[in-house]
Amino acid sequence: MEGVLVALTIPFRNGNVDVDGLSAHVSSLVKEGVNGFFPLGTTGMGVLLNLEEREAVIKAVTEASGGKPIVVQVGSLDWDTVAGTVKLAERYGASAIASIVPIYYRPDYETIRRYFMKLNQLTELPTFIYNIPGNAGFNVTPDIVTKLIKDGVRIAGMKDSSGDLGQLMQFIEMGLEVFNGSDHMIAPSIIVGAKGCISALSNSITNLVIDTYRKAKDGDVNNALRVQALVTKVRDTANKYPRPAVHYSLVRLLKYDFGSVKEPLVRSLTREEEESLASDLGKLGLRIRAPAA
């Protein structure tokens, strides 16, 4: 796997997964040229979805993806949901699984080791560690991953959303398949050897993310950094608003009608916030599809 994998937004309508909307979104992204999909991650509210919702998502993504690689994020607060999601990933032909570390109760090394060892026992699918310290409250460092591998845990790669380029480079030097998960670091990560990016903004500014990746991959560093600068401005703008809902609003404002988040554990943007976001995006030179709904 390599290239731009989309950290998918999973739309809800009337309290249910909008399967038709999700399928149309995935089909549109395939046409735009993305290289694969990462469902049930942070942007798609994966930890908030039950097993039935997860199956609806995985099935829809698989059927609409055109055979592109799918890495299913299986992490949850509940082990039965984790194990069930692993089996769904196998059933629907995922290329790999990924998981956050156990969250809420700050894990020690032994907790992490036991958790990923149990994942290894469940499946032969390649297993990626999804490191997102800003949400999980724990940074999976290169030292921890080195120790896990020495202790017999099968780790195929990392999705690193730490935003730390030096740390990402250490994962690359370990020989792992490394995907950058921070949208402000797409070009730098590719330049130093990452396989690609797993990008939230590729849901909405897909062409800009792909252009950043391709230019960096082709060695066109100056132009890669030029496009990256605009991607970073969009990212900084998005960070002013509630996440993950802002990514749903971005799709609505820049692309097409789209569902929203699974409330009430997260909330949608208010009308005023979405209007402000539209104004901010216009100032960056992006074309707004329509006034905020």
Side-chain angles (χ1 to χ4, degrees):
M1 294 185 298
E2 63 179 359
V4 176
L5 276 62
V6 184
L8 272 171
T9 46
I10 306 302
F12 274 67
R13 291 187 191 272
N14 303 315
N16 299 306
V17 175
D18 180 5
V19 172
D20 291 341
L22 175 59
S23 297
H25 184 46
V26 170
S27 296
S28 175
L29 291 165
V30 169
K31 291 177 183 177
E32 289 188 81
V34 303
N35 301 106
F37 298 95
F38 186 86
L40 304 177
T42 305
T43 305
M45 307 175 293
V47 295
L48 304 184
L49 273 57
N50 60 39
L51 197 56
E52 181 181 356
E53 292 165 337
R54 287 175 171 215
E55 180 167 14
V57 168
I58 296 169
K59 183 175 185 290
V61 175
T62 300
E63 291 176 349
S65 65
K68 292 188 179 296
I70 298 170
V71 180
V72 176
Q73 198 290 122
V74 301
S76 171
L77 287 171
D78 172 65
W79 174 251
D80 288 342
T81 302
V82 173
T85 308
V86 171
K87 295 308 176 186
L88 290 171
E90 290 183 327
R91 184 189 309 167
Y92 289 100
S95 301
I97 62 168
S99 184
I100 55 173
V101 297
I103 58 173
Y104 188 78
Y105 300 102
R106 182 178 175 87
D108 61 3
Y109 172 76
E110 183 60 14
T111 301
I112 296 170
R113 187 196 67 80
R114 292 184 185 189
Y115 175 78
F116 281 99
M117 190 66 80
K118 286 192 73 173
L119 281 182
N120 284 174
Q121 293 167 356
L122 285 178
T123 183
E124 294 298 319
L125 285 174
T127 299
F128 284 68
I129 296 177
Y130 175 17
N131 184 39
I132 182 163
N135 287 67
F138 187 90
N139 183 31
V140 184
T141 65
D143 286 346
I144 290 173
V145 177
T146 297
K147 191 173 181 182
L148 287 171
I149 294 170
K150 286 182 178 178
D151 285 342
V153 180
R154 288 185 287 104
I155 303 298
M158 299 290 300
K159 177 192 174 185
D160 187 48
S161 298
S162 68
D164 184 335
L165 186 62
Q167 175 167 286
L168 184 139
M169 291 173 68
Q170 289 183 65
F171 289 132
I172 293 169
E173 290 166 0
M174 292 167 61
L176 298 169
E177 291 192 51
V178 178
F179 286 80
N180 165 60
S182 300
D183 277 316
H184 69 292
M185 277 181 24
I186 297 168
S189 69
I190 300 305
I191 291 167
V192 300
K195 299 283 286 187
C197 62
I198 298 175
S199 163
L201 285 178
S202 61
N203 286 282
S204 54
I205 55 168
T206 316
N207 61 328
L208 292 175
V209 172
I210 291 174
D211 197 28
T212 302
Y213 165 77
R214 287 180 177 168
K215 283 181 167 55
K217 186 71 173 176
D218 291 343
D220 187 1
V221 174
N222 288 338
N223 283 318
L225 294 176
R226 175 181 56 79
V227 184
Q228 175 70 75
L230 178 54
V231 172
T232 300
K233 289 177 182 177
V234 176
R235 178 253 194 187
D236 291 345
T237 295
N239 282 349
K240 294 163 54 180
Y241 300 91
R243 291 180 291 171
V246 65
H247 291 287
Y248 293 71
S249 293
L250 285 168
V251 175
R252 279 195 297 275
L253 290 169
L254 298 173
K255 284 191 167 180
Y256 32 67
D257 181 45
F258 199 64
S260 195
V261 296
K262 181 183 180 181
E263 299 197 20
L265 294 179
V266 290
R267 71 167 179 87
S268 301
L269 269 62
T270 64
R271 179 184 179 88
E272 292 73 21
E273 286 171 330
E274 201 161 273
E275 289 174 345
S276 175
L277 174 61
S279 175
D280 289 343
L281 295 172
K283 292 173 184 176
L284 293 177
L286 300 181
R287 182 180 178 185
I288 306 304
R289 168 182 162 261

